[in-house]
Amino acid sequence: MSKTNPEADLEASDDQLNRAIEELRGVLQEEEQRAGAPAREATATNPGVILNIPVDVQIVLGSAEMQVSDLMALQKGSTVALNRRIGEPVDVVVNGRRIARGEITVLENDPSRFGIRLTEIVTTKKGG
């Protein structure tokens, strides 16, 4: 039975995530250059880079800080004020790391659902 090195697995996962971010950045740049053209062509050139990476994706609308007593007082129908306003960009977080920002949009094919339109890919900073 062989033991795996959690640090090596984490570094490999970070490298894969960095490559995926770079691929997304390229797709977004190509989409801006070719306004209206489908962006699938760029991802089709090297789909293996991102297809096998398990990720936890979160869309962060905002956050709030409150005392435990206020948290315990929450009930159905309570409203929690977030630190962002309507229309401000939301964060796209993958595996605990912000990779992009976007705007909330209603899906054309299903108006009862919404999604995120990416407007900015966060640049990666490689530590030495």
Side-chain angles (χ1 to χ4, degrees):
M1 186 180 241
S2 67
K3 294 183 179 179
T4 60
N5 182 349
E7 282 186 15
D9 291 343
L10 186 58
E11 284 182 22
S13 178
D14 278 350
D15 287 343
Q16 288 176 331
L17 186 56
N18 285 335
R19 286 195 302 267
I21 290 170
E22 291 303 320
E23 180 112 2
L24 284 172
R25 184 177 291 112
V27 169
L28 196 60
Q29 288 172 352
E30 284 184 16
E31 187 176 284
E32 288 173 356
Q33 291 171 358
R34 298 180 295 171
R40 291 183 155 229
E41 295 170 9
T43 56
T45 58
N46 194 3
V49 173
I50 59 174
L51 292 180
N52 296 321
I53 303 171
V55 294
D56 176 34
V57 179
Q58 298 175 341
I59 307 302
V60 181
L61 300 175
S63 63
E65 194 172 307
M66 58 178 47
Q67 296 179 350
V68 174
S69 60
D70 294 336
L71 180 65
M72 298 299 289
L74 292 177
Q75 54 187 322
K76 186 175 181 176
S78 295
T79 301
V80 176
L82 300 177
N83 63 343
R84 296 206 180 140
R85 298 188 185 280
I86 293 174
E88 286 187 33
V90 296
D91 291 331
V92 179
V93 177
V94 175
N95 289 346
R97 179 173 159 193
R98 189 178 81 171
I99 64 155
R101 297 185 90 180
E103 56 189 28
I104 297 173
T105 183
V106 175
L107 299 180
E108 290 179 13
N109 58 349
D110 186 357
S112 67
R113 299 180 68 199
F114 63 92
I116 303 298
R117 178 178 294 118
L118 297 181
T119 57
E120 172 190 354
I121 303 295
V122 176
T123 58
T124 60
K125 293 179 183 171
K126 192 83 172 178

PDB file of all heavy atoms in Angstrom, residues 59-72:
ATOM      1  N   ILE A  59     -20.340  30.958  -6.074  1.00  0.00           N
ATOM      2  CA  ILE A  59     -20.588  32.316  -6.523  1.00  0.00           C
ATOM      3  C   ILE A  59     -20.913  33.126  -5.270  1.00  0.00           C
ATOM      4  O   ILE A  59     -21.904  32.863  -4.591  1.00  0.00           O
ATOM      5  CB  ILE A  59     -21.762  32.381  -7.524  1.00  0.00           C
ATOM      6  CG1 ILE A  59     -21.553  31.397  -8.672  1.00  0.00           C
ATOM      7  CG2 ILE A  59     -21.964  33.808  -8.009  1.00  0.00           C
ATOM      8  CD1 ILE A  59     -20.274  31.589  -9.460  1.00  0.00           C
ATOM      9  N   VAL A  60     -20.059  34.067  -4.945  1.00  0.00           N
ATOM     10  CA  VAL A  60     -20.193  34.816  -3.697  1.00  0.00           C
ATOM     11  C   VAL A  60     -20.884  36.137  -3.988  1.00  0.00           C
ATOM     12  O   VAL A  60     -20.316  37.028  -4.619  1.00  0.00           O
ATOM     13  CB  VAL A  60     -18.810  35.045  -3.044  1.00  0.00           C
ATOM     14  CG1 VAL A  60     -18.952  35.798  -1.736  1.00  0.00           C
ATOM     15  CG2 VAL A  60     -18.092  33.714  -2.833  1.00  0.00           C
ATOM     16  N   LEU A  61     -22.117  36.244  -3.519  1.00  0.00           N
ATOM     17  CA  LEU A  61     -22.895  37.467  -3.715  1.00  0.00           C
ATOM     18  C   LEU A  61     -22.446  38.566  -2.773  1.00  0.00           C
ATOM     19  O   LEU A  61     -22.589  39.746  -3.065  1.00  0.00           O
ATOM     20  CB  LEU A  61     -24.379  37.190  -3.491  1.00  0.00           C
ATOM     21  CG  LEU A  61     -25.020  36.153  -4.406  1.00  0.00           C
ATOM     22  CD1 LEU A  61     -26.455  35.890  -3.975  1.00  0.00           C
ATOM     23  CD2 LEU A  61     -24.959  36.612  -5.845  1.00  0.00           C
ATOM     24  N   GLY A  62     -21.934  38.193  -1.628  1.00  0.00           N
ATOM     25  CA  GLY A  62     -21.498  39.164  -0.634  1.00  0.00           C
ATOM     26  C   GLY A  62     -21.316  38.467   0.692  1.00  0.00           C
ATOM     27  O   GLY A  62     -21.471  37.253   0.803  1.00  0.00           O
ATOM     28  N   SER A  63     -20.992  39.230   1.704  1.00  0.00           N
ATOM     29  CA  SER A  63     -20.826  38.652   3.034  1.00  0.00           C
ATOM     30  C   SER A  63     -21.363  39.629   4.066  1.00  0.00           C
ATOM     31  O   SER A  63     -21.611  40.799   3.776  1.00  0.00           O
ATOM     32  CB  SER A  63     -19.351  38.333   3.290  1.00  0.00           C
ATOM     33  OG  SER A  63     -18.587  39.517   3.278  1.00  0.00           O
ATOM     34  N   ALA A  64     -21.523  39.116   5.268  1.00  0.00           N
ATOM     35  CA  ALA A  64     -22.003  39.945   6.373  1.00  0.00           C
ATOM     36  C   ALA A  64     -21.312  39.488   7.646  1.00  0.00           C
ATOM     37  O   ALA A  64     -20.981  38.315   7.789  1.00  0.00           O
ATOM     38  CB  ALA A  64     -23.517  39.817   6.522  1.00  0.00           C
ATOM     39  N   GLU A  65     -21.083  40.424   8.534  1.00  0.00           N
ATOM     40  CA  GLU A  65     -20.512  40.105   9.835  1.00  0.00           C
ATOM     41  C   GLU A  65     -21.570  40.410  10.871  1.00  0.00           C
ATOM     42  O   GLU A  65     -22.184  41.474  10.854  1.00  0.00           O
ATOM     43  CB  GLU A  65     -19.266  40.959  10.068  1.00  0.00           C
ATOM     44  CG  GLU A  65     -18.421  40.490  11.205  1.00  0.00           C
ATOM     45  CD  GLU A  65     -17.108  41.251  11.265  1.00  0.00           C
ATOM     46  OE1 GLU A  65     -16.403  41.305  10.244  1.00  0.00           O
ATOM     47  OE2 GLU A  65     -16.811  41.785  12.349  1.00  0.00           O
ATOM     48  N   MET A  66     -21.810  39.422  11.743  1.00  0.00           N
ATOM     49  CA  MET A  66     -22.834  39.627  12.761  1.00  0.00           C
ATOM     50  C   MET A  66     -22.452  38.886  14.041  1.00  0.00           C
ATOM     51  O   MET A  66     -21.646  37.969  14.008  1.00  0.00           O
ATOM     52  CB  MET A  66     -24.207  39.178  12.264  1.00  0.00           C
ATOM     53  CG  MET A  66     -24.291  37.735  11.837  1.00  0.00           C
ATOM     54  SD  MET A  66     -25.935  37.166  11.302  1.00  0.00           S
ATOM     55  CE  MET A  66     -26.470  38.430  10.219  1.00  0.00           C
ATOM     56  N   GLN A  67     -23.046  39.302  15.120  1.00  0.00           N
ATOM     57  CA  GLN A  67     -22.810  38.649  16.394  1.00  0.00           C
ATOM     58  C   GLN A  67     -23.569  37.328  16.440  1.00  0.00           C
ATOM     59  O   GLN A  67     -24.572  37.147  15.740  1.00  0.00           O
ATOM     60  CB  GLN A  67     -23.263  39.547  17.538  1.00  0.00           C
ATOM     61  CG  GLN A  67     -22.474  40.826  17.647  1.00  0.00           C
ATOM     62  CD  GLN A  67     -22.970  41.709  18.776  1.00  0.00           C
ATOM     63  OE1 GLN A  67     -24.017  41.470  19.369  1.00  0.00           O
ATOM     64  NE2 GLN A  67     -22.208  42.754  19.062  1.00  0.00           N
ATOM     65  N   VAL A  68     -23.086  36.422  17.260  1.00  0.00           N
ATOM     66  CA  VAL A  68     -23.721  35.108  17.375  1.00  0.00           C
ATOM     67  C   VAL A  68     -25.179  35.263  17.801  1.00  0.00           C
ATOM     68  O   VAL A  68     -26.060  34.559  17.290  1.00  0.00           O
ATOM     69  CB  VAL A  68     -22.949  34.214  18.371  1.00  0.00           C
ATOM     70  CG1 VAL A  68     -23.687  32.908  18.617  1.00  0.00           C
ATOM     71  CG2 VAL A  68     -21.548  33.938  17.860  1.00  0.00           C
ATOM     72  N   SER A  69     -25.464  36.208  18.671  1.00  0.00           N
ATOM     73  CA  SER A  69     -26.850  36.399  19.122  1.00  0.00           C
ATOM     74  C   SER A  69     -27.761  36.805  17.956  1.00  0.00           C
ATOM     75  O   SER A  69     -28.904  36.342  17.868  1.00  0.00           O
ATOM     76  CB  SER A  69     -26.916  37.444  20.236  1.00  0.00           C
ATOM     77  OG  SER A  69     -26.413  38.687  19.782  1.00  0.00           O
ATOM     78  N   ASP A  70     -27.226  37.643  17.036  1.00  0.00           N
ATOM     79  CA  ASP A  70     -28.010  38.025  15.858  1.00  0.00           C
ATOM     80  C   ASP A  70     -28.195  36.834  14.922  1.00  0.00           C
ATOM     81  O   ASP A  70     -29.258  36.654  14.331  1.00  0.00           O
ATOM     82  CB  ASP A  70     -27.330  39.164  15.105  1.00  0.00           C
ATOM     83  CG  ASP A  70     -27.303  40.456  15.909  1.00  0.00           C
ATOM     84  OD1 ASP A  70     -28.170  40.621  16.796  1.00  0.00           O
ATOM     85  OD2 ASP A  70     -26.412  41.287  15.651  1.00  0.00           O
ATOM     86  N   LEU A  71     -27.162  36.028  14.787  1.00  0.00           N
ATOM     87  CA  LEU A  71     -27.247  34.831  13.956  1.00  0.00           C
ATOM     88  C   LEU A  71     -28.282  33.866  14.500  1.00  0.00           C
ATOM     89  O   LEU A  71     -29.092  33.310  13.751  1.00  0.00           O
ATOM     90  CB  LEU A  71     -25.870  34.160  13.879  1.00  0.00           C
ATOM     91  CG  LEU A  71     -25.767  32.897  13.050  1.00  0.00           C
ATOM     92  CD1 LEU A  71     -26.024  33.198  11.584  1.00  0.00           C
ATOM     93  CD2 LEU A  71     -24.398  32.275  13.218  1.00  0.00           C
ATOM     94  N   MET A  72     -28.288  33.683  15.800  1.00  0.00           N
ATOM     95  CA  MET A  72     -29.244  32.768  16.428  1.00  0.00           C
ATOM     96  C   MET A  72     -30.681  33.280  16.325  1.00  0.00           C
ATOM     97  O   MET A  72     -31.625  32.498  16.379  1.00  0.00           O
ATOM     98  CB  MET A  72     -28.872  32.539  17.899  1.00  0.00           C
ATOM     99  CG  MET A  72     -27.515  31.899  18.097  1.00  0.00           C
ATOM    100  SD  MET A  72     -27.384  30.276  17.349  1.00  0.00           S
ATOM    101  CE  MET A  72     -28.437  29.338  18.425  1.00  0.00           C
TER     102      MET A  72
END
